[in-house]
Every structure is written in C-alpha cells, then in structure tokens.
Amino acid sequence: SNNEDGNERNHNDEEIQKALEEVDSCQNEIDALNEQASEEILKVEQKYNLLRNPLYEKRNESLNKIPHFWVTAFVNHPDLSTILSDSEEDCLHHLSKVTIEEFEDIKSGFKLGFYFEENPYFENRVLTKEYHLDSLEEPTSKSTTIKWKEGFDLTSTKHATSKPGQKRGTEHKSFFSWFNDHSDPLSDDIAEIIKDDIYINPLQYFLVPDVGVDNGVDDEEGSDQEDETEEQGGGITGDTDEETHDIQNTVSE
C-alpha cells in the first residue's frame, strides 16, 4: 500500500507539473497579446493626438476671448483651488493660454505651457514645465526659471502661504512651489490634474462654480464648502462672477 500511495503521489505531482506548464504556456501567449495590444493602443493614441491638436488650437483662440478663463477654471477645481494663495490667484488673472504637448511616443513624457500677458509679477511671457518619463532612464522634470520682478516673488516667505483648509494629500503648498519642484516627476498630482482633468475639458470648471454639488456631494455639504471658500477669500469675485453667469446663461440658451 505504501507503494500505491507513492505512485499516486508521483502521478499527482506529474499532473500538477503538466498543468503548471500549460498555464505558463497560456500566460506567455496572454503576455504577448497584451504587449501587442499596448503597441497598437499607442499607435491609436498617437494618431488621435495629431487629430486633436488643431482642435485644441482652435479652442484656445476662442478661450482667449473670455476674460479670466483659466484662473476661473483653476479656482473652481476642488483640488487645485486648495493650493492657490490669494497672490497667486491674482497673478493667474494674467494667464491667457495653457497648452499640453505630448512627446511623440507619448510614453516618454509631456510639456505643460503657461502663457501670460504682461504682468506685475514676472518678466516671462511663457512658463513651461517638462516631464521626461522614459522607463529606461531616471524620470526627471525641468521648468522655466521665473524672472520675478522686485518685491513680487510669490515663492518667497512673504507670499508663500496657502489658504486654510488645504486638503491632506495635496503635497504642494502653492502653485509656484509646485512649478519649481522636481523631486518626484512620476507622482506629480498637480501636473496630472492639469493635464488629465482640467485641460481635457476646462469649460466644465469654468461654468460650474460649485463643483462639489455637481460631483454628487449633497447640497448641505456643498453650501458648507461654499461658506468655507468665502471665509478663505477663495473663488473669483466681482466682474468675473457676472461674466461667468452671463456665459452660463448663453450656453444654457
């Protein structure tokens, strides 16, 4: 009987080994298909990036006709608004255009472009931040050196204070400290928000001041957030509110 038990165990081991080899063979085929799919998806992405670019340019031309468009969209974004100081918000009133340039093979990185009118804060008319994420090399990022005008450096201690109520998990204390930070290009939450959320459809943030309610937060919680924002000096005030309201009505009609 010992021999029988031994033979049965050997038989089971052989069956298990054979099954493992079959699974391994299937897995290799699945991996090969996944790799092929990734390559084809990348080609499709590249194709549609080229098709989208002229539309983004056309959209930017139209957005230029709307006063304070980008600062309104930024301030109305629930995450981005938490890192904007009042001085930065004022500075971003001079932001006239935002661009995203995907590198040709997409996977290796992208470049954010921020175009400014002449303003009291810095000399630059264009600020860019590039992300080089090639998997074969160490990921890096680099950004334009900002030529601050005297007394207007928003990264100095005098200006670098974020609004109260900054969300936990928002690593950067202010917009311009994020712009100058290159410590972790692979986990850049702000770049991700601008590139994959706001830039895709900025109109939704321009037209919806109370984004919390729109995202399914109940009215009571939404109004609490609104009160909090007012106390913190957040949101676009004055003429821009009226302009946004007029545009909302026009779009609704």
Side-chain angles (χ1 to χ4, degrees):
S1 68
N2 283 345
N3 281 344
E4 282 175 13
D5 288 346
N7 289 338
E8 195 175 326
R9 267 199 303 273
N10 287 339
H11 178 68
N12 286 343
D13 287 348
E14 283 171 17
E15 278 199 344
I16 290 168
Q17 184 59 37
K18 188 181 176 188
L20 284 171
E21 286 169 7
E22 287 169 356
V23 169
D24 188 50
S25 174
C26 283
Q27 192 59 50
N28 287 336
E29 288 185 50
I30 291 167
D31 290 345
L33 275 177
N34 286 343
E35 199 172 317
Q36 190 181 335
S38 294
E39 286 170 12
E40 290 187 23
I41 288 166
L42 200 58
K43 284 176 189 168
V44 171
E45 277 292 335
Q46 288 169 328
K47 174 188 170 182
Y48 281 93
N49 262 356
L50 290 173
L51 292 173
R52 279 191 288 258
N53 284 339
L55 289 171
Y56 283 139
E57 285 173 25
K58 186 179 177 183
R59 185 181 74 181
N60 267 331
E61 286 172 17
S62 299
L63 292 181
N64 269 335
K65 299 169 189 172
I66 304 170
H68 313 307
F69 178 87
W70 286 105
V71 67
T72 306
F74 281 17
V75 167
N76 285 342
H77 191 282
D79 295 327
L80 205 55
S81 61
T82 63
I83 67 161
L84 290 173
S85 69
D86 290 338
S87 300
E88 288 183 321
E89 189 181 312
D90 184 64
C91 176
L92 291 175
H93 273 77
H94 302 282
L95 177 63
S96 59
K97 185 167 76 167
V98 174
T99 59
I100 309 280
E101 182 191 326
E102 297 260 19
F103 296 160
E104 198 175 338
D105 66 353
I106 298 176
K107 288 192 294 185
S108 68
F110 58 93
K111 179 163 77 171
L112 304 175
F114 303 95
Y115 291 73
F116 286 83
E117 302 157 347
E118 194 170 333
N119 65 80
Y121 292 92
F122 44 75
E123 302 288 349
N124 315 66
R125 298 302 288 270
V126 183
L127 300 178
T128 62
K129 187 166 185 179
E130 291 184 31
Y131 293 80
H132 296 268
L133 309 173
D134 195 315
S135 56
L136 301 175
E137 295 175 22
E138 187 72 25
T140 59
S141 64
K142 62 180 182 179
S143 56
T144 309
T145 302
I146 302 175
K147 298 172 184 171
W148 297 104
K149 294 180 180 178
E150 194 175 342
F152 284 92
D153 183 348
L154 298 184
T155 59
S156 68
T157 316
K158 175 186 165 189
H159 292 284
T161 52
S162 58
K163 295 174 183 175
Q166 183 167 327
K167 292 188 179 181
R168 201 183 309 157
T170 308
E171 295 167 21
H172 304 285
K173 290 182 181 175
S174 72
F175 181 82
F176 286 106
S177 67
W178 157 75
F179 185 80
N180 291 326
D181 179 24
H182 305 290
S183 57
D184 191 2
L186 270 181
S187 305
D188 191 323
D189 49 344
I190 303 302
E192 199 174 302
I193 287 167
I194 294 170
K195 176 178 174 284
D196 297 330
D197 188 2
I198 295 178
Y199 190 74
I200 298 295
N201 182 6
L203 199 61
Q204 66 178 321
Y205 292 109
F206 180 79
L207 293 177
V208 186
D210 197 346
V211 180
V213 174
D214 194 52
N215 285 346
V217 178
D218 63 52
D219 289 346
E220 198 173 317
E221 194 176 328
S223 64
D224 286 347
Q225 287 175 346
E226 215 170 60
D227 294 343
E228 220 174 82
T229 308
E230 281 169 17
E231 285 169 22
Q232 294 160 11
I236 301 294
T237 56
D239 295 342
T240 313
D241 272 343
E242 290 169 20
E243 287 157 1
T244 306
H245 184 66
D246 292 343
I247 292 165
Q248 280 176 314
N249 289 340
T250 307
V251 171
S252 304
E253 288 164 14

